[in-house]
Amino acid sequence: MQSETDVLVVGGGVTGTAIARELSRYRLDVVLVEKAPDVCTGTSKANTALIHAGFNADPEKQKGRLNVRGNELYHERIQHELDVPIEWRGALVVATDESERPKLEELLEKGQRNGVDGLEILEREALLEKEPHLSDDAVAALWAPTAGIVNPFELTVGFANNAVENGASVELEAEVTDITETDDGFTVETAKGEIDAEIVINAAGLYSDEVSAMVGIDDFEITPRRGEYYLYDKQFEIDIDTTIFPVPTEVTKGIVVTPTDENNLLIGPNAQEIDDKRDKATTRQGLDKVLEGAKKTVPDLTKQDVIKEFAGLRPAIKETGDFRIQIEEEVPGFINAAGIQSPGLASAPATAELVVDLVEELTGDLEEDPTFDPNYSGPPKVRHMSHKERAALIEEDPRYGQIICRCETVTEGEIRDAINQPVPAQTVNAIKRRVRPGAGRCQGGFCGPRVIEILSEELDVPMTEIKLEEEGSELLTDEIKQPLLEKSREGSEVNADD
Ligand SMILES: Cc1cc2nc3c(=O)[nH]c(=O)nc-3n(C[C@H](O)[C@H](O)[C@H](O)COP(=O)(O)OP(=O)(O)OC[C@H]3O[C@@H](n4cnc5c(N)ncnc54)[C@H](O)[C@@H]3O)c2cc1C
């Protein structure tokens, strides 16, 4: 690991990776350190994945302004530059009682003041034409066509890979344990050794209060706010095309019903403050609330065809209810990008833009690197290819013809590509985030052993060392039983003609 850098970013979530990528536009040495064995293992991996349009954004708050700018940047740049699934499905805020109509008008005006394009109120008939499964009680809705859905895993990995392609370093399993101020910056102690940095940017999510306290800035606290979800199988009979919100209250945006970028239906989240930053367990009570809340707008929903329940933790600063993105004046050179609760994903490109402005304020000047290339391409996605494209790819490399995950149609070639990316996938979940084996109906029941075997071959380590995610999550205690492996190896071949 390099021992000196201009800028060190702590945390490889969507915030830290977007910042590292934006900094890699300039002639700067940039190192990102992440404590986990992959990027996108914190809050960025468990959320609703919406690029909010910004109609409900509070312009008095950093999070409101960055949401609106972030949405613009996704439209203008990110969707063209990074090979990341983004779908502009639009959002509906559905009133299920006439008494809620004034709130729709209020959101419309607020959104227009925020500069959100295309907002309109749809009456019942037009609304049901768009979403036939909506409640009979639906009376009208605010329609926001600029809202989108993004794949948060591929987005974070895309930011990180593009940053590395442009000269930044990403150090995994490098937890920051202490930071000391020096004459010309900081010495940062990590699990992989010390790094001297002129500027430190704290994007440590749920732990950003603890990292900030390492330099004596301890006047804020992160409270984890849990949100739970049900994820449905793609074959679920209720087909929803847009993101559906109920009318928000002062306290909550309400339970959302939305497709994901891969067309699974997702419902959630609730919001519950908890004490333990590691507690991502779902609860019966919480999930019951999620289903009950979702049925307010889509009453036919049931638990049938649910393939996964999960929870994510919002890293909230309760006192302000806002992001804290600022140069900490008492510790020159230290920038907090802390308390990035929702809409942190929608804001990420704008957060990165703001942080670069702060770095420029500290350095006085930033010189653009003319070799910077904003474009990044991930591995080919065989399941989205035409027959002709598949055939050509298989001709080039037959491993793209070997299906490992039958639920999601993921091939051996794609899995090997994921392991060999600039920020390599080194765990079973890291592969799942990049190319989806295990994300389908069987949740890895069939393909899991083959994924472990491929990881073991590519990383040249025994299968017993292959982890699901973090340290201590090794999946096998002994070499896998051969018959099971043989069975999963049978796989099936991509039919280039189907
Ligand atoms: C239920 C829920 C729903 C949401 N829905 C949306 C939505 O639809 N749209 C939207 O815009 N936003 C949404 N959000 C918010 C969004 O997910 C977050 O704002 C965003 O993911 C935060 O990213 P981050 O990079 O700041 O934090 P994280 O993703 O948590 O990344 C922080 C990283 O820092 C690392 N780290 C911590 N401590 C250290 C250390 N000491 N050394 C090294 N590394 C360290 C962690 O391992 C982690 O990888 C939602 C959040 C939740 C929980």
Side-chain angles (χ1 to χ4, degrees), residues 166-182:
N166 284 298
S169 305
V170 172
E171 295 292 344
L172 303 171
E173 297 180 296
E175 178 172 6
V176 171
T177 51
D178 202 5
I179 307 175
T180 316
E181 276 185 81
T182 60

Side-chain angles (χ1 to χ4, degrees), residues 10-17 33-36 38-52 174-177 203-208 211 214 225-229 253 269-270 311-315 323 337 340-347:
V10 187
V14 73
T15 307
T17 55
V33 286
E34 164 54 53
K35 71 175 173 185
D38 191 21
V39 296
C40 203
T41 64
T43 302
S44 302
K45 82 165 180 186
N47 50 61
T48 323
L50 303 178
I51 304 177
H52 295 286
E175 178 172 6
V176 171
T177 51
L206 286 165
Y207 298 86
S208 52
V211 171
M214 290 177 192
R225 197 179 295 146
R226 180 167 54 198
E228 297 163 84
Y229 294 91
K253 288 193 202 102
N270 57 338
L313 304 180
R314 306 167 183 89
F323 298 168
I340 311 291
Q341 51 169 285
S342 193
L345 200 63
S347 306

Side-chain angles (χ1 to χ4, degrees), residues 23 45-46 49 57 80 105 108 121 151 159 175 201 219 320 330 342 359 383 448 455 477 492 494:
L23 286 169
K45 82 165 180 186
H80 307 298
E105 299 289 349
L108 174 71
I121 305 275
N151 180 315
F159 279 138
E175 178 172 6
I201 298 164
D219 60 337
T320 58
E330 295 142 64
S342 193
V359 170
R383 67 185 173 284
L455 269 164
T477 50
S492 47
V494 172

Side-chain angles (χ1 to χ4, degrees), residues 337-359:
I340 311 291
Q341 51 169 285
S342 193
L345 200 63
S347 306
T351 300
E353 199 179 59
L354 170 60
V355 170
V356 168
D357 286 349
L358 298 180
V359 170

